[in-house]
């Protein structure tokens, strides 16, 4: 769809990055003939990162302006935009009051923080093209952008290089509050959703939550804009399904760089969620000693918990009274591997609930176990791996976890020590 050989655009991590200043006022072409010039872009804030929905095209000689859907864009470069449309009449219209125009509403606006302190002025906007969709990712408040905004782009290239920190000062759109709707010609300031002194970083845990809420294209595009160390730390915090989604869109070299920044245990966790063939490619590109450690961890982590369960547990029917368990607890617990939890099952051994020993000691003597048990039980299934068990133990801090089958039958229990004291925890 988009021609990526423009002198004014560059590709990074498989995506095409575009500055708004490079495409404003370029000719819009139909079958190679100019039909107007790009005046603005219509965006929609459907998720964390806005998406371009239409081109707002001005025409000469008093002809009506055009609104052309993004889906009709064939190629986009700094020299022109080719669109695939027929008769112009259906596209002759003006933007309605409820749409957001990127140039009109955002360029030259002040960026203020939550305390109403002025931060900078927006002189340019960065967009990223991915999978035929164009997203808004950053606003640029740097000195080079200011010169470009004044029409002095050549001077900006002479005075500043890409290594100059003053040349490009991007603020990620993820820090920008949603713009107001039904605003007509927006004359206000752009407002950040964090204080100025917090702009530099979002904690990896919080950023992981943001990424998990996005769709695939937005997630990968945003991840590719992170600094290397920040990306590595964030990847560790993301849930396995989303980890797999992101890694599948990165080059092997990029994944190797991220893996090298992690501890062996963390790296093994990440590699274990992707297809075996992809993991092997990454392991082959790593330092041999590091690869050897990761293989050892991954092989252990993929073992099934069912091989580590014990049936030596405290197990009672739901109508068993607390007094019966309390009074004869030493005898009940004799020879058991797990004694801090009482598992409540029906006559077919289906798990109904669990009672912590502390709750048992505090309970009314005459109460049935069904009255004091926790029914929402965190459990593993027969196909769970040691790695998954480790994640659950770290998340909930339980001392043991029940293992059930697809029909909720209690197969056994796996103690904390049998998972968390495995070799991979020492390798970290």
């Amino acid at each position: 769809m988009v021609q990526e050989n423009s002198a004014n655009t560059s590709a990074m991590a498989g995506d095409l990055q575009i500055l708004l200043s490079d495409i404003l006022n370029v000719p819009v072409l139909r079958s190679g003939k100019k039909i107007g010039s790009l005046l603005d872009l219509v965006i929609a804030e459907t998720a964390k990162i806005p998406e371009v929905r239409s081109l707002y095209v001005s025409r000469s000689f008093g002809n009506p302006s055009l609104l052309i859907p993004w889906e009709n864009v064939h190629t986009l470069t700094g020299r022109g935009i080719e669109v695939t449309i027929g008769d112009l009449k259906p596209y002759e219209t003006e933007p309605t009051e409820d749409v957001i125009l990127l140039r009109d509403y955002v360029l030259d606006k002040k960026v203020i923080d939550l305390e109403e302190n002025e931060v900078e002025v927006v002189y340019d906007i960065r967009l990223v093209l991915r999978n035929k969709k164009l997203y808004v990712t950053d606003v640029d408040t740097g000195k080079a952008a200011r010169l470009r905004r004044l029409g002095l782009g050549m001077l900006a290239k002479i005075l500043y290089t890409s290594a100059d920190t003053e040349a490009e000062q991007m603020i990620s759109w993820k820090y920008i509050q949603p713009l107001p709707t039904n605003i007509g010609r927006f004359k206000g300031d752009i407002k950040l959703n964090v204080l100025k002194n917090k702009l530099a970083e979002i904690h990896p845990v919080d950023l992981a939550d943001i990424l998990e809420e996005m769709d695939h294209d937005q997630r990968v595009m945003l991840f590719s804009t992170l600094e290397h160390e920040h990306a590595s730390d964030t990847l560790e915090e993301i849930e396995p399904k989303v980890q797999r989604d992101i890694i599948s869109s990165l080059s092997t070299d990029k994944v190797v760089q991220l893996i090298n920044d992690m501890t062996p245990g963390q790296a093994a966790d990440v590699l274990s969620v992707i297809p075996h063939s992809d993991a092997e490619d990454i392991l082959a590109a790593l330092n041999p000693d590091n690869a050897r450690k990761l293989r050892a961890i991954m092989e252990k982590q993929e073992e099934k918990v069912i091989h580590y369960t014990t049936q030596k547990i405290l197990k009672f029917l739901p109508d068993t009274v607390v007094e019966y368990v309390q009074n004869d607890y030493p005898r009940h617990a004799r020879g058991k591997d797990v004694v801090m939890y009482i598992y409540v099952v029906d006559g077919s051994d289906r798990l109904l609930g669990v009672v912590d020993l502390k709750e048992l000691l505090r309970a009314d003597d005459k109460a049935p176990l069904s009255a004091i048990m926790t029914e929402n039980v965190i459990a593993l299934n027969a196909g769970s791996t040691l790695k998954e068990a480790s994640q659950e133990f770290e998340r909930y801090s339980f001392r043991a976890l029940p293992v059930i089958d697809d029909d909720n039958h209690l197969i056994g229990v796996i103690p904390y020590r049998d998972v968390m004291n495995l070799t991979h925890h020492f390798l970290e």
Side-chain angles (χ1 to χ4, degrees):
M1 173 181 175
V2 175
Q3 184 175 325
E4 300 192 9
N5 295 323
S6 168
N8 296 323
T9 56
S10 61
M12 186 174 89
D15 299 328
L16 179 65
Q17 297 194 33
I18 303 166
L19 291 174
L20 182 62
S21 61
D22 287 336
I23 59 174
L24 285 178
N25 302 314
V26 300
V28 178
L29 311 171
R30 180 187 61 174
S31 301
K33 294 183 179 181
K34 182 177 177 180
I35 58 173
S37 300
L38 181 66
L39 180 62
D40 213 330
L41 296 173
V42 175
I43 64 170
E45 294 189 292
T46 56
K48 298 291 183 181
I49 300 176
E51 181 181 337
V52 172
R53 292 296 176 83
S54 304
L55 310 182
Y56 183 26
V57 180
S58 64
R59 299 165 72 195
S60 57
F61 308 114
N63 290 313
S65 299
L66 306 173
L67 270 183
I68 301 175
W70 172 255
E71 290 77 11
N72 294 96
V73 176
H74 182 259
T75 57
L76 184 153
T77 74
R79 296 181 299 274
I81 303 171
E82 182 76 28
V83 296
T84 55
I85 59 175
D87 184 15
L88 299 184
K89 199 69 177 177
Y91 304 97
E92 292 179 349
T93 184
E94 292 289 330
T96 58
E97 291 288 306
D98 59 347
V99 303
I100 298 173
L101 295 167
L102 195 57
R103 175 186 191 170
D104 196 10
Y105 294 176
V106 180
L107 276 188
D108 303 323
K109 298 298 187 298
K110 294 177 183 178
V111 180
I112 60 176
D113 67 17
L114 288 179
E115 294 176 342
E116 304 297 326
N117 298 315
E118 182 179 327
V119 179
E120 297 290 353
V121 174
V122 176
Y123 296 117
D124 211 341
I125 298 168
R126 181 161 63 188
L127 306 105
V128 172
L129 181 75
R130 181 174 180 81
N131 291 343
K132 300 184 179 181
K133 292 184 179 181
L134 190 61
Y135 299 101
V136 182
T137 61
D138 308 85
V139 296
D140 191 349
T141 61
K143 291 184 176 181
R146 182 181 183 183
L147 289 176
R148 291 195 303 269
R149 188 74 182 119
L150 295 172
L152 302 174
M154 290 303 298
L155 180 60
K157 291 180 181 180
I158 295 172
L159 294 178
Y160 300 106
T161 68
S162 59
D164 292 330
T165 56
E166 292 181 337
E168 186 179 271
Q169 294 182 9
M170 296 288 183
I171 299 176
S172 173
W173 195 277
K174 63 178 176 278
Y175 296 108
I176 305 296
Q177 290 184 357
L179 297 173
T181 57
N182 298 311
I183 54 178
R185 288 293 186 265
F186 179 49
K187 300 303 181 185
D189 295 325
I190 298 170
K191 197 164 187 177
L192 302 173
N193 59 15
V194 292
L195 297 179
K196 181 180 180 181
N197 62 2
K198 295 182 180 179
L199 280 179
E201 199 80 20
I202 288 181
H203 193 281
V205 172
D206 297 326
L207 188 52
D209 291 339
I210 293 173
L211 288 167
E212 288 168 1
E213 294 175 5
M214 294 180 172
D215 64 28
H216 171 79
D217 290 340
Q218 293 176 328
R219 178 185 299 141
V220 174
M221 180 275 303
L222 177 57
F223 187 83
S224 69
T225 68
L226 299 178
E227 294 293 335
H228 179 69
E229 184 177 351
H230 198 191
S232 180
D233 292 342
T234 301
L235 190 62
E236 295 170 12
E237 303 295 339
I238 296 172
E239 65 177 26
K241 181 180 178 182
V242 179
Q243 281 181 340
R244 184 165 56 249
D245 180 62
I246 290 175
I247 292 173
S248 67
S249 298
L250 301 177
S251 67
T252 299
D253 289 344
K254 177 67 173 178
V255 178
V256 167
Q257 291 176 2
L258 296 173
I259 291 297
N260 281 332
D261 273 355
M262 301 178 185
T263 65
Q266 293 163 338
D269 284 345
V270 170
L271 290 180
S272 63
V273 305
I274 65 178
H276 178 75
S277 60
D278 293 342
E280 285 297 318
D281 290 341
I282 294 165
L283 288 167
L286 292 172
N287 174 283
D289 289 340
N290 193 22
R292 177 183 54 79
K293 288 182 181 180
L294 296 188
R295 289 183 192 277
I297 298 170
M298 292 168 66
E299 289 169 2
K300 178 66 71 175
Q301 287 181 328
E302 289 307 307
E303 290 187 36
K304 303 299 183 184
V305 293
I306 195 169
H307 302 305
Y308 290 77
T309 58
T310 178
Q311 285 77 41
K312 296 178 180 180
I313 60 177
L314 295 168
K315 186 170 61 174
F316 295 93
L317 295 171
D319 56 358
T320 304
V321 295
V322 168
E323 185 179 45
Y324 172 78
V325 182
Q326 285 180 341
N327 291 348
D328 212 6
Y329 183 80
R331 182 178 66 83
H332 294 314
R334 191 176 298 122
K336 300 296 191 291
D337 292 325
V338 177
V339 296
M340 70 290 295
Y341 297 116
I342 292 91
Y343 296 94
V344 183
V345 298
D346 66 14
S348 299
D349 241 16
R350 288 187 176 86
L351 182 62
L352 303 178
V354 64
V355 178
D356 188 287
L357 179 59
K358 292 182 293 185
E359 297 301 318
L360 179 77
L361 297 176
R362 296 170 183 161
D364 185 330
D365 288 353
K366 303 303 180 182
L369 293 179
S370 60
I372 65 168
M373 69 182 183
T374 298
E375 297 182 34
N376 185 22
V377 181
I378 304 299
L380 301 166
N381 59 53
S384 296
T385 63
L386 289 178
K387 173 178 173 272
E388 291 169 334
S390 173
Q391 291 171 337
E392 294 297 278
F393 278 124
E394 289 180 347
R395 183 178 181 88
Y396 295 105
S397 300
F398 292 140
R399 290 159 289 171
L401 283 169
V403 179
I404 58 176
D405 65 15
D406 291 340
D407 294 320
N408 212 45
H409 293 107
L410 181 60
I411 298 172
V413 173
I414 185 164
Y416 174 96
R417 65 178 183 275
D418 289 356
V419 173
M420 305 308 282
N421 290 344
L422 290 175
T423 306
H424 71 275
H425 284 276
F426 294 113
L427 284 174
E428 292 186 26

